[in-house]
Amino acid sequence: MSQNRPPVAFYFYLTCLFFGLNSLGSWHAGAQESPGENRVAEDSILPTYLQEVVLTATRTERQVSSLPLPVTLVSADRIEKAGAVRLGEILSEQTGIITVADESGFEGVQIQGVASDYILILMDGVPLVGRSAGNFDLQRLAVGNIKQVEVVKGPSSSLYGSEALGGVINIITEKPNTESLEGSVDYRIGRFAQQDMNLNLKQRRGAFRYGLFANRFSSEGYDLTPETAGQTVNPFENYTLQGRFYYDFSDRFSLFTSSRFYDQVQDAGLSVGETDYEGDSHQREWNFHTRGDHAWSDALEMEYEFYYTNFQADERLADPLTDTVLSDSDFDQRLLRPEIRGTYTLNGGGKLTAGTGLQFEQLDRTYFDRAVSFGSQYVYAQYDFNPVDRLNVIAGARYDNHSEYNDQLSPKLAVRYRLSDVTALKASVGYGFKAPDFRQLYFDYTNSTVGYTVLGYNVAGRKLTELDEQGQISQIVVPISDLDAPLQAESSVGYNAGIAFRLKRWNAELNLFRNDFSNLIDTRIIARKTNGQNVFSYVNFDEIFTAGAEVNATYNLSENISLNAGYQLLYAYDKTQREAVADGSVFARDATNQTVALSRSDYFGLPNRSRHNANLKLYYDIPDWGLDFNFRLLYRSRYAQFDTNGNGLIDSYDTSFVDGYALAHAAVSKTFLKDFTLQVGANNLFGYTDPDIPTQPGRVLFTKINYQF
């Protein structure tokens, strides 16, 4: 079987750079410093950075400022001060991260212009599932018990496999550390009857620790288009319950166990013409995660992990008068994953991390003939070392063997060179992939109203033959034999390079990035039906790229006042479309209805991508008064949603552009009676709304009361 792998030049670059750096270490091994440590001079300049330790980028504890990779860390303190209740709210305020709603209203995340389909979402290092159309809905995730959120930008398949070709978001929950019972209770109420309630308990009792978390979130929804029937967002109510347990059997071995349950019911009522359909949608998620941490020696640490998760969703809409069913769909996905990994610290301070595991996935949903399943095995290794003083190198690779697509080898290399105690250069290059999903392989759907059919790649040949035998096919556009070769995994090669500054009062970072995608999966017509409609399936053909620059800077005006600013410049294009425009072979009609050939400046790029994104955040604490205030300003320049003039791309003559806009958020908190905090805030102070942005309801005022004990 042929393998879908990066180009030879990519491997050559990795090999030369790795061995060149490694050879330096042979004559300078004595100068190595531990990859997880910075020099005292560097750390003493800005002590607050000592607390910023992340796990996701390397699967080992590393200080953010020492990493050669582009990483964003969001602390629990920032989440609390912003008054955020769901993960999407706080992610949308970070540089280079945009939340975007899909056609179903689910809010996913876009990193460096890479769509949410290609961003892996983890909780405590294990993946969350439930992407009905490729998009993971961030509104499912409460933030009341989060210690920090870690975002790794760029391909991360060398450690995490499929779906990590655009980046990884890892939600880290709190670990209890005190013998006395600690916790909090809070209640927030806001516009649209939005209510959020949290109960968080944690304690350490000798060798045993536990954390319990409960959340209830509800809203009456809102309507951005009152002139039309139905609401933009219907009323909903959801609950999250999570328990985390730790037991230290000895200084060398500890056990972690966690279970999380999520349940949401939402009114799904819909008006079609003069008929009002009633019904609801129901989502349920449950997972179980256990991990044993074993230190065999001071040099060798092992982790034994088992994880199971199940996500279910169903929706039914029917006319209560005639019992006519408009839609009735079910979705049931399961994932089982055991994994073993270990980290060995070498004498020179370098760390070798390796792991192996297997995944079993199953999905049963409406429009599938039967429940379908995937199986895969994988192995990965990573070497984190300092070949010379001031230079840190991380080199790694992962091999995935999958039951439904070609094997994947995903290498990655990252380097960081400390020019001085305040300045460092860093660069990384990595390969990422995304496996064809269940929908792209097994979908079997015919629209009963319009009459078109969509078939997954693996069932298209058989189903097309059946339709032809039934006399429903007038023309086969793609020979059935062309569907014999397996659908390939989508892939990308990502490059990041930048410079970081760390001074006593301020720090700044500039990162240049480019992500080149190949074998993107899209639909194509494979046959025409006798009713005049088409039969669609999936194919590998698109090649796109995203490129740009990110700047992030923080200045501490004083011990209690900090100012943060960020900016992203983004270009995102389809390579084939760009070449066609350059050749003068793409046309549109101007305002006078005259046909004109598009110029390169007319081609805007991929949908839902803004050229400019920026943020400005001010935090002001007054400890003597128990008061803190913050103001956050976000800007997004215009973007287009889809092609409207039929030439297959988005250009300056299309009419689906959403104008650029700014959102302002503010919150002020006052602590009283030592343990109580009252917070008053406003999201979207300017009251901006647009029917094309269903997740932006307008100005939302809220009040929150919190009790810490």
Side-chain angles (χ1 to χ4, degrees), residues 109-137:
V109 65
Q110 185 187 106
I111 298 178
Q112 292 184 346
V114 180
S116 63
D117 307 46
Y118 309 100
I119 308 299
L120 182 62
I121 309 293
L122 308 174
M123 178 170 284
D124 289 323
V126 291
L128 300 175
V129 302
R131 300 171 182 250
S132 60
N135 195 20
F136 186 93
D137 186 15

PDB file of all heavy atoms in Angstrom, residues 109-137:
ATOM      1  N   VAL A 109     -13.324  26.759  16.446  1.00  0.00           N
ATOM      2  CA  VAL A 109     -12.189  27.663  16.588  1.00  0.00           C
ATOM      3  C   VAL A 109     -11.277  27.549  15.378  1.00  0.00           C
ATOM      4  O   VAL A 109     -11.065  26.467  14.828  1.00  0.00           O
ATOM      5  CB  VAL A 109     -11.415  27.374  17.895  1.00  0.00           C
ATOM      6  CG1 VAL A 109     -10.780  25.990  17.864  1.00  0.00           C
ATOM      7  CG2 VAL A 109     -10.376  28.433  18.158  1.00  0.00           C
ATOM      8  N   GLN A 110     -10.751  28.678  14.950  1.00  0.00           N
ATOM      9  CA  GLN A 110      -9.844  28.770  13.801  1.00  0.00           C
ATOM     10  C   GLN A 110      -8.492  29.280  14.308  1.00  0.00           C
ATOM     11  O   GLN A 110      -8.441  30.290  15.012  1.00  0.00           O
ATOM     12  CB  GLN A 110     -10.451  29.736  12.785  1.00  0.00           C
ATOM     13  CG  GLN A 110      -9.735  29.875  11.480  1.00  0.00           C
ATOM     14  CD  GLN A 110     -10.344  30.993  10.637  1.00  0.00           C
ATOM     15  OE1 GLN A 110      -9.780  32.073  10.484  1.00  0.00           O
ATOM     16  NE2 GLN A 110     -11.540  30.747  10.096  1.00  0.00           N
ATOM     17  N   ILE A 111      -7.405  28.576  13.975  1.00  0.00           N
ATOM     18  CA  ILE A 111      -6.057  28.947  14.422  1.00  0.00           C
ATOM     19  C   ILE A 111      -5.171  29.166  13.210  1.00  0.00           C
ATOM     20  O   ILE A 111      -5.061  28.289  12.349  1.00  0.00           O
ATOM     21  CB  ILE A 111      -5.449  27.857  15.321  1.00  0.00           C
ATOM     22  CG1 ILE A 111      -6.283  27.678  16.596  1.00  0.00           C
ATOM     23  CG2 ILE A 111      -4.000  28.206  15.694  1.00  0.00           C
ATOM     24  CD1 ILE A 111      -5.777  26.581  17.512  1.00  0.00           C
ATOM     25  N   GLN A 112      -4.562  30.338  13.120  1.00  0.00           N
ATOM     26  CA  GLN A 112      -3.697  30.692  11.990  1.00  0.00           C
ATOM     27  C   GLN A 112      -4.410  30.465  10.652  1.00  0.00           C
ATOM     28  O   GLN A 112      -3.805  30.060   9.674  1.00  0.00           O
ATOM     29  CB  GLN A 112      -2.388  29.905  12.032  1.00  0.00           C
ATOM     30  CG  GLN A 112      -1.484  30.280  13.189  1.00  0.00           C
ATOM     31  CD  GLN A 112      -0.140  29.570  13.162  1.00  0.00           C
ATOM     32  OE1 GLN A 112       0.050  28.591  12.434  1.00  0.00           O
ATOM     33  NE2 GLN A 112       0.804  30.054  13.936  1.00  0.00           N
ATOM     34  N   GLY A 113      -5.713  30.718  10.622  1.00  0.00           N
ATOM     35  CA  GLY A 113      -6.492  30.544   9.407  1.00  0.00           C
ATOM     36  C   GLY A 113      -6.893  29.118   9.121  1.00  0.00           C
ATOM     37  O   GLY A 113      -7.547  28.845   8.106  1.00  0.00           O
ATOM     38  N   VAL A 114      -6.519  28.177   9.983  1.00  0.00           N
ATOM     39  CA  VAL A 114      -6.855  26.760   9.800  1.00  0.00           C
ATOM     40  C   VAL A 114      -8.196  26.486  10.474  1.00  0.00           C
ATOM     41  O   VAL A 114      -8.391  26.825  11.647  1.00  0.00           O
ATOM     42  CB  VAL A 114      -5.763  25.853  10.392  1.00  0.00           C
ATOM     43  CG1 VAL A 114      -6.126  24.386  10.196  1.00  0.00           C
ATOM     44  CG2 VAL A 114      -4.416  26.151   9.738  1.00  0.00           C
ATOM     45  N   ALA A 115      -9.127  25.873   9.732  1.00  0.00           N
ATOM     46  CA  ALA A 115     -10.493  25.677  10.218  1.00  0.00           C
ATOM     47  C   ALA A 115     -10.553  24.717  11.398  1.00  0.00           C
ATOM     48  O   ALA A 115      -9.650  23.914  11.637  1.00  0.00           O
ATOM     49  CB  ALA A 115     -11.379  25.168   9.082  1.00  0.00           C
ATOM     50  N   SER A 116     -11.663  24.774  12.136  1.00  0.00           N
ATOM     51  CA  SER A 116     -11.820  23.987  13.361  1.00  0.00           C
ATOM     52  C   SER A 116     -11.830  22.485  13.096  1.00  0.00           C
ATOM     53  O   SER A 116     -11.560  21.700  14.015  1.00  0.00           O
ATOM     54  CB  SER A 116     -13.105  24.394  14.077  1.00  0.00           C
ATOM     55  OG  SER A 116     -14.237  24.110  13.277  1.00  0.00           O
ATOM     56  N   ASP A 117     -12.143  22.062  11.866  1.00  0.00           N
ATOM     57  CA  ASP A 117     -12.100  20.642  11.528  1.00  0.00           C
ATOM     58  C   ASP A 117     -10.721  20.048  11.785  1.00  0.00           C
ATOM     59  O   ASP A 117     -10.581  18.840  12.001  1.00  0.00           O
ATOM     60  CB  ASP A 117     -12.430  20.417  10.046  1.00  0.00           C
ATOM     61  CG  ASP A 117     -13.733  21.051   9.618  1.00  0.00           C
ATOM     62  OD1 ASP A 117     -13.963  22.218   9.980  1.00  0.00           O
ATOM     63  OD2 ASP A 117     -14.503  20.392   8.912  1.00  0.00           O
ATOM     64  N   TYR A 118      -9.698  20.895  11.733  1.00  0.00           N
ATOM     65  CA  TYR A 118      -8.309  20.435  11.804  1.00  0.00           C
ATOM     66  C   TYR A 118      -7.636  20.814  13.117  1.00  0.00           C
ATOM     67  O   TYR A 118      -6.407  20.787  13.221  1.00  0.00           O
ATOM     68  CB  TYR A 118      -7.523  21.014  10.625  1.00  0.00           C
ATOM     69  CG  TYR A 118      -8.200  20.773   9.300  1.00  0.00           C
ATOM     70  CD1 TYR A 118      -8.958  21.770   8.684  1.00  0.00           C
ATOM     71  CD2 TYR A 118      -8.122  19.540   8.674  1.00  0.00           C
ATOM     72  CE1 TYR A 118      -9.602  21.542   7.485  1.00  0.00           C
ATOM     73  CE2 TYR A 118      -8.768  19.305   7.479  1.00  0.00           C
ATOM     74  CZ  TYR A 118      -9.507  20.301   6.882  1.00  0.00           C
ATOM     75  OH  TYR A 118     -10.150  20.076   5.686  1.00  0.00           O
ATOM     76  N   ILE A 119      -8.434  21.168  14.129  1.00  0.00           N
ATOM     77  CA  ILE A 119      -7.914  21.515  15.444  1.00  0.00           C
ATOM     78  C   ILE A 119      -8.355  20.442  16.434  1.00  0.00           C
ATOM     79  O   ILE A 119      -9.552  20.177  16.586  1.00  0.00           O
ATOM     80  CB  ILE A 119      -8.423  22.897  15.909  1.00  0.00           C
ATOM     81  CG1 ILE A 119      -8.171  23.965  14.836  1.00  0.00           C
ATOM     82  CG2 ILE A 119      -7.769  23.268  17.227  1.00  0.00           C
ATOM     83  CD1 ILE A 119      -6.721  24.182  14.474  1.00  0.00           C
ATOM     84  N   LEU A 120      -7.403  19.830  17.115  1.00  0.00           N
ATOM     85  CA  LEU A 120      -7.710  18.772  18.071  1.00  0.00           C
ATOM     86  C   LEU A 120      -8.027  19.390  19.435  1.00  0.00           C
ATOM     87  O   LEU A 120      -7.284  20.239  19.930  1.00  0.00           O
ATOM     88  CB  LEU A 120      -6.512  17.819  18.194  1.00  0.00           C
ATOM     89  CG  LEU A 120      -6.680  16.615  19.121  1.00  0.00           C
ATOM     90  CD1 LEU A 120      -7.800  15.704  18.632  1.00  0.00           C
ATOM     91  CD2 LEU A 120      -5.370  15.846  19.241  1.00  0.00           C
ATOM     92  N   ILE A 121      -9.140  18.967  20.042  1.00  0.00           N
ATOM     93  CA  ILE A 121      -9.561  19.455  21.352  1.00  0.00           C
ATOM     94  C   ILE A 121      -9.316  18.346  22.378  1.00  0.00           C
ATOM     95  O   ILE A 121      -9.825  17.229  22.234  1.00  0.00           O
ATOM     96  CB  ILE A 121     -11.046  19.852  21.368  1.00  0.00           C
ATOM     97  CG1 ILE A 121     -11.376  20.792  20.200  1.00  0.00           C
ATOM     98  CG2 ILE A 121     -11.411  20.486  22.700  1.00  0.00           C
ATOM     99  CD1 ILE A 121     -10.723  22.144  20.282  1.00  0.00           C
ATOM    100  N   LEU A 122      -8.544  18.663  23.414  1.00  0.00           N
ATOM    101  CA  LEU A 122      -8.228  17.709  24.468  1.00  0.00           C
ATOM    102  C   LEU A 122      -8.717  18.229  25.813  1.00  0.00           C
ATOM    103  O   LEU A 122      -8.831  19.430  26.023  1.00  0.00           O
ATOM    104  CB  LEU A 122      -6.710  17.487  24.572  1.00  0.00           C
ATOM    105  CG  LEU A 122      -5.922  17.116  23.313  1.00  0.00           C
ATOM    106  CD1 LEU A 122      -4.428  17.102  23.629  1.00  0.00           C
ATOM    107  CD2 LEU A 122      -6.364  15.763  22.792  1.00  0.00           C
ATOM    108  N   MET A 123      -8.979  17.299  26.719  1.00  0.00           N
ATOM    109  CA  MET A 123      -9.193  17.650  28.123  1.00  0.00           C
ATOM    110  C   MET A 123      -8.292  16.762  28.955  1.00  0.00           C
ATOM    111  O   MET A 123      -8.389  15.527  28.897  1.00  0.00           O
ATOM    112  CB  MET A 123     -10.663  17.476  28.524  1.00  0.00           C
ATOM    113  CG  MET A 123     -10.914  17.789  29.998  1.00  0.00           C
ATOM    114  SD  MET A 123     -12.665  17.888  30.444  1.00  0.00           S
ATOM    115  CE  MET A 123     -13.113  19.478  29.769  1.00  0.00           C
ATOM    116  N   ASP A 124      -7.384  17.369  29.679  1.00  0.00           N
ATOM    117  CA  ASP A 124      -6.379  16.642  30.448  1.00  0.00           C
ATOM    118  C   ASP A 124      -5.630  15.646  29.571  1.00  0.00           C
ATOM    119  O   ASP A 124      -5.313  14.525  29.985  1.00  0.00           O
ATOM    120  CB  ASP A 124      -7.008  15.930  31.651  1.00  0.00           C
ATOM    121  CG  ASP A 124      -7.442  16.913  32.733  1.00  0.00           C
ATOM    122  OD1 ASP A 124      -6.731  17.912  32.937  1.00  0.00           O
ATOM    123  OD2 ASP A 124      -8.495  16.683  33.361  1.00  0.00           O
ATOM    124  N   GLY A 125      -5.377  16.055  28.321  1.00  0.00           N
ATOM    125  CA  GLY A 125      -4.531  15.278  27.424  1.00  0.00           C
ATOM    126  C   GLY A 125      -5.221  14.223  26.597  1.00  0.00           C
ATOM    127  O   GLY A 125      -4.565  13.543  25.795  1.00  0.00           O
ATOM    128  N   VAL A 126      -6.537  14.040  26.742  1.00  0.00           N
ATOM    129  CA  VAL A 126      -7.253  13.034  25.959  1.00  0.00           C
ATOM    130  C   VAL A 126      -8.311  13.713  25.092  1.00  0.00           C
ATOM    131  O   VAL A 126      -8.876  14.742  25.472  1.00  0.00           O
ATOM    132  CB  VAL A 126      -7.896  11.955  26.861  1.00  0.00           C
ATOM    133  CG1 VAL A 126      -6.824  11.102  27.509  1.00  0.00           C
ATOM    134  CG2 VAL A 126      -8.782  12.595  27.920  1.00  0.00           C
ATOM    135  N   PRO A 127      -8.613  13.146  23.904  1.00  0.00           N
ATOM    136  CA  PRO A 127      -9.461  13.853  22.933  1.00  0.00           C
ATOM    137  C   PRO A 127     -10.945  13.802  23.270  1.00  0.00           C
ATOM    138  O   PRO A 127     -11.452  12.812  23.800  1.00  0.00           O
ATOM    139  CB  PRO A 127      -9.174  13.109  21.625  1.00  0.00           C
ATOM    140  CG  PRO A 127      -8.767  11.735  22.048  1.00  0.00           C
ATOM    141  CD  PRO A 127      -8.038  11.902  23.356  1.00  0.00           C
ATOM    142  N   LEU A 128     -11.639  14.888  22.911  1.00  0.00           N
ATOM    143  CA  LEU A 128     -13.092  14.953  22.994  1.00  0.00           C
ATOM    144  C   LEU A 128     -13.668  14.697  21.608  1.00  0.00           C
ATOM    145  O   LEU A 128     -13.109  15.130  20.602  1.00  0.00           O
ATOM    146  CB  LEU A 128     -13.536  16.320  23.515  1.00  0.00           C
ATOM    147  CG  LEU A 128     -13.029  16.686  24.908  1.00  0.00           C
ATOM    148  CD1 LEU A 128     -13.427  18.113  25.265  1.00  0.00           C
ATOM    149  CD2 LEU A 128     -13.561  15.716  25.962  1.00  0.00           C
ATOM    150  N   VAL A 129     -14.780  13.988  21.525  1.00  0.00           N
ATOM    151  CA  VAL A 129     -15.385  13.629  20.250  1.00  0.00           C
ATOM    152  C   VAL A 129     -16.760  14.262  20.143  1.00  0.00           C
ATOM    153  O   VAL A 129     -17.253  14.888  21.076  1.00  0.00           O
ATOM    154  CB  VAL A 129     -15.476  12.090  20.085  1.00  0.00           C
ATOM    155  CG1 VAL A 129     -14.099  11.455  20.180  1.00  0.00           C
ATOM    156  CG2 VAL A 129     -16.429  11.491  21.123  1.00  0.00           C
ATOM    157  N   GLY A 130     -17.388  14.067  18.976  1.00  0.00           N
ATOM    158  CA  GLY A 130     -18.726  14.590  18.761  1.00  0.00           C
ATOM    159  C   GLY A 130     -18.752  15.699  17.743  1.00  0.00           C
ATOM    160  O   GLY A 130     -19.304  16.777  18.002  1.00  0.00           O
ATOM    161  N   ARG A 131     -18.181  15.447  16.566  1.00  0.00           N
ATOM    162  CA  ARG A 131     -18.168  16.428  15.477  1.00  0.00           C
ATOM    163  C   ARG A 131     -19.122  15.924  14.397  1.00  0.00           C
ATOM    164  O   ARG A 131     -18.721  15.158  13.532  1.00  0.00           O
ATOM    165  CB  ARG A 131     -16.764  16.580  14.901  1.00  0.00           C
ATOM    166  CG  ARG A 131     -15.715  17.044  15.907  1.00  0.00           C
ATOM    167  CD  ARG A 131     -14.322  16.943  15.308  1.00  0.00           C
ATOM    168  NE  ARG A 131     -13.283  17.337  16.244  1.00  0.00           N
ATOM    169  CZ  ARG A 131     -12.558  18.453  16.126  1.00  0.00           C
ATOM    170  NH1 ARG A 131     -12.744  19.262  15.101  1.00  0.00           N
ATOM    171  NH2 ARG A 131     -11.633  18.737  17.007  1.00  0.00           N
ATOM    172  N   SER A 132     -20.359  16.379  14.439  1.00  0.00           N
ATOM    173  CA  SER A 132     -21.345  15.869  13.487  1.00  0.00           C
ATOM    174  C   SER A 132     -21.051  16.303  12.065  1.00  0.00           C
ATOM    175  O   SER A 132     -21.371  15.622  11.112  1.00  0.00           O
ATOM    176  CB  SER A 132     -22.756  16.309  13.892  1.00  0.00           C
ATOM    177  OG  SER A 132     -22.849  17.718  13.922  1.00  0.00           O
ATOM    178  N   ALA A 133     -20.431  17.479  11.873  1.00  0.00           N
ATOM    179  CA  ALA A 133     -20.081  17.950  10.528  1.00  0.00           C
ATOM    180  C   ALA A 133     -18.642  18.460  10.497  1.00  0.00           C
ATOM    181  O   ALA A 133     -18.317  19.360   9.752  1.00  0.00           O
ATOM    182  CB  ALA A 133     -21.046  19.040  10.079  1.00  0.00           C
ATOM    183  N   GLY A 134     -17.780  17.886  11.341  1.00  0.00           N
ATOM    184  CA  GLY A 134     -16.376  18.276  11.373  1.00  0.00           C
ATOM    185  C   GLY A 134     -16.045  19.334  12.394  1.00  0.00           C
ATOM    186  O   GLY A 134     -14.885  19.527  12.740  1.00  0.00           O
ATOM    187  N   ASN A 135     -17.058  20.032  12.906  1.00  0.00           N
ATOM    188  CA  ASN A 135     -16.831  21.157  13.805  1.00  0.00           C
ATOM    189  C   ASN A 135     -17.132  20.740  15.243  1.00  0.00           C
ATOM    190  O   ASN A 135     -18.195  20.197  15.529  1.00  0.00           O
ATOM    191  CB  ASN A 135     -17.729  22.328  13.399  1.00  0.00           C
ATOM    192  CG  ASN A 135     -17.315  23.634  14.026  1.00  0.00           C
ATOM    193  OD1 ASN A 135     -16.190  23.793  14.462  1.00  0.00           O
ATOM    194  ND2 ASN A 135     -18.238  24.577  14.077  1.00  0.00           N
ATOM    195  N   PHE A 136     -16.179  20.999  16.156  1.00  0.00           N
ATOM    196  CA  PHE A 136     -16.422  20.726  17.571  1.00  0.00           C
ATOM    197  C   PHE A 136     -17.014  21.970  18.218  1.00  0.00           C
ATOM    198  O   PHE A 136     -16.423  23.053  18.150  1.00  0.00           O
ATOM    199  CB  PHE A 136     -15.121  20.334  18.282  1.00  0.00           C
ATOM    200  CG  PHE A 136     -15.334  19.898  19.707  1.00  0.00           C
ATOM    201  CD1 PHE A 136     -15.506  18.559  20.005  1.00  0.00           C
ATOM    202  CD2 PHE A 136     -15.392  20.822  20.733  1.00  0.00           C
ATOM    203  CE1 PHE A 136     -15.733  18.153  21.314  1.00  0.00           C
ATOM    204  CE2 PHE A 136     -15.614  20.429  22.040  1.00  0.00           C
ATOM    205  CZ  PHE A 136     -15.783  19.087  22.333  1.00  0.00           C
ATOM    206  N   ASP A 137     -18.180  21.827  18.849  1.00  0.00           N
ATOM    207  CA  ASP A 137     -18.891  22.957  19.431  1.00  0.00           C
ATOM    208  C   ASP A 137     -18.283  23.328  20.783  1.00  0.00           C
ATOM    209  O   ASP A 137     -18.417  22.597  21.768  1.00  0.00           O
ATOM    210  CB  ASP A 137     -20.370  22.613  19.591  1.00  0.00           C
ATOM    211  CG  ASP A 137     -21.198  23.805  20.055  1.00  0.00           C
ATOM    212  OD1 ASP A 137     -20.679  24.930  19.978  1.00  0.00           O
ATOM    213  OD2 ASP A 137     -22.346  23.600  20.469  1.00  0.00           O
TER     214      ASP A 137
END
